[in-house]
């Protein structure tokens, strides 16, 4: 949690703040980095998809828009999938399981709305009472709206695209959002600022499951790919302790980090407090 908190605060500071709380809390002075123009200048590249959830939670807490790519595109997971299901119920009723009053209610609310983006917003309003994660819902709506722009008002084409689309179709380089993805999926892309979390021996290289089967050279190459995605700023972070597969472990620093000449790095050690005074895991930044 502390690692994710640090990454979120760093992005807020470098972009110059995203809300009044950024200045009030001292996270940002409103200035930011002159060469950082957009949230699309940032990427968080993880070794495993399991690392992403805590990053997403921190971004939601800090009101940082993000787009995640992985094995499954965001529009095939809730709450985006639920929003699309509502649209399908109104336009393609034979493809979903809604019946009777529920289907009539959805059709009535969406029938007279011609604009695709307005239909997406209305579909989100329909499911909102059942959703506890308002931040996640808001982020999904924003991403669906960005995705829908290329379809004008063709709802059927939009629904077909999201039904057949893959994770490669999930990334929009023009979106005003931080990219959250895996090191594997980052090849060929570039950002001004890249954060690589989990720089611990066991995650990078990923040997925690079976060190004998891990290909050290391939892991090193993958780490190098992630580092070279950064055009200007590179943050390599690790936590002193973290929970993996239900167990709390204290992993040593990644050998890839110790191999970097010390004169090329700046070391920062941070500690954040939880909302109820609980100490979050300490972080080392290289």
């Amino acid at each position: 949690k502390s690692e994710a908190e640090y990454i979120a605060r760093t992005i807020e500071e470098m972009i110059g703040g995203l809300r009044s709380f950024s200045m009030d809390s001292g996270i940002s002075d409103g200035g930011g980095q002159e060469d950082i123009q957009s949230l699309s200048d940032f990427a968080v590249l993880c070794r495993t998809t399991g690392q992403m959830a805590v990053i997403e939670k921190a971004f939601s807490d800090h009101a940082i828009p993000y787009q995640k790519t992985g094995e499954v595109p965001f529009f095939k997971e809730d709450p985006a999938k639920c929003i699309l299901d509502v649209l399908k119920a109104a336009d393609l009723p034979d493809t979903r399981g809604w019946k009777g009053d529920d289907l009539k209610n959805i059709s009535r609310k969406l029938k007279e709305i011609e604009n695709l983006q307005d239909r997406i917003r209305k579909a989100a309003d329909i499911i909102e009472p059942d959703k506890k994660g308002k931040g996640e819902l808001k982020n999904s709506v924003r991403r669906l709206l960005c995705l829908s722009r290329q379809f004008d008002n063709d709802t059927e084409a939009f629904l077909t695209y999201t039904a057949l689309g893959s994770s490669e179709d999930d990334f929009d380089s023009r979106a005003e959002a931080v990219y959250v993805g895996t090191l594997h999926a980052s090849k060929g892309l570039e950002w001004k600022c890249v954060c690589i979390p989990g720089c611990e021996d066991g995650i990078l290289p990923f040997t925690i499951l079976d060190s004998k089967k891990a290909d050290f050279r391939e892991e090193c190459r993958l780490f190098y790919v992630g580092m070279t995605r950064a055009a200007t700023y590179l943050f390599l972070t690790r936590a002193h302790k973290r929970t993996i597969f239900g167990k709390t472990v204290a992993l040593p620093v990644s050998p890839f980090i110790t191999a970097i000449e010390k004169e090329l790095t700046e070391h920062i050690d941070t500690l954040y407090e939880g909302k109820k005074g609980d100490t979050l895991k300490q972080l080392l930044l290289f």
Side-chain angles (χ1 to χ4, degrees):
K1 290 180 180 179
S2 188
E3 183 178 44
E5 178 71 11
Y6 180 83
I7 291 172
R9 286 175 176 238
T10 297
I11 290 173
E12 258 196 288
E13 180 182 3
M14 293 182 72
I15 200 69
L18 295 166
R19 51 195 177 145
S20 59
F21 181 75
S22 300
M23 275 70 83
D24 295 340
S25 61
I27 295 176
S28 171
D29 60 7
Q33 297 288 338
E34 291 185 0
D35 49 353
I36 295 292
Q37 304 296 325
S38 166
L39 287 172
S40 62
D41 291 333
F42 296 94
V44 180
L45 306 180
C46 303
R47 176 59 182 85
T48 69
T49 56
Q51 295 172 257
M52 295 182 185
V54 70
I55 300 291
E56 293 179 72
K57 175 63 167 59
F59 283 177
S60 294
D61 290 345
H62 284 259
I64 298 175
Y66 65 90
Q67 55 174 328
K68 181 182 74 171
T69 63
E71 295 179 1
V72 180
F74 85 97
F75 48 76
K76 291 189 177 180
E77 297 181 318
D78 286 335
K81 181 178 180 297
C82 194
I83 295 172
L84 294 173
D85 284 349
V86 172
L87 292 179
K88 291 175 185 177
D91 286 57
L92 306 169
D94 293 338
T95 65
R96 307 308 303 167
W98 276 288
K99 296 180 180 179
D101 293 339
D102 288 338
L103 182 57
K104 290 180 180 178
N105 185 46
I106 291 172
S107 297
R108 177 178 57 80
K109 290 182 177 180
L110 296 178
K111 185 177 181 180
E112 297 182 357
I113 301 177
E114 295 183 1
N115 183 277
L116 176 55
Q117 296 207 343
D118 287 342
R119 291 170 71 88
I120 292 171
R121 295 186 183 96
K122 175 56 71 174
D125 289 341
I126 291 173
I127 70 167
E128 188 170 11
D130 298 325
K131 290 292 176 183
K132 295 181 180 179
K134 296 295 181 65
E136 187 180 355
L137 177 62
K138 185 176 181 180
N139 187 62
S140 292
V141 172
R142 179 190 56 77
R143 296 184 67 183
L144 285 173
L145 291 175
C146 289
L147 184 63
S148 69
R149 289 172 186 157
Q150 59 186 295
F151 297 94
D152 295 322
N153 289 323
D154 192 340
T155 302
E156 184 175 353
F158 175 66
L159 292 176
T160 299
Y161 177 88
T162 54
L164 301 177
S166 63
S167 58
E168 288 76 14
D169 303 316
D170 197 0
F171 176 55
D172 182 2
S173 61
R174 301 165 299 175
E176 180 63 22
V178 177
Y179 176 93
V180 180
T182 62
L183 290 166
H184 282 99
S186 68
K187 187 176 181 180
L189 303 174
E190 184 179 88
W191 298 268
K192 289 182 180 178
C193 178
V194 167
C195 302
I196 303 180
C199 293
E200 297 140 53
D201 193 359
I203 299 178
L204 276 167
F206 191 65
T207 58
I208 199 165
L209 294 180
D210 190 341
S211 59
K212 295 181 180 180
K213 291 184 178 180
D215 187 332
F216 190 86
R217 289 187 177 181
E218 176 60 21
E219 291 290 316
C220 186
R221 185 199 66 79
L222 187 60
F223 182 66
Y224 180 76
V225 166
M227 292 178 68
T228 53
R229 299 311 90 201
T232 309
Y233 304 97
L234 175 64
F235 293 88
L236 308 173
T237 65
R238 79 163 179 114
H240 282 301
K241 294 180 181 179
R242 72 170 69 242
T243 301
I244 302 177
F245 306 126
K247 294 180 62 177
T248 299
V249 295
L251 300 174
V253 63
S254 168
F256 302 150
I257 295 293
T258 56
I260 301 174
E261 295 90 335
K262 290 185 178 180
E263 60 267 24
L264 299 179
T265 66
E266 178 185 355
H267 178 131
I268 301 173
D269 196 5
T270 63
L271 183 68
Y272 294 116
E273 298 293 326
K275 293 181 179 179
K276 297 182 180 179
D278 297 330
T279 301
L280 298 180
K281 307 307 178 186
Q282 197 170 17
L283 167 76
L284 284 179
L285 170 72
F286 295 87

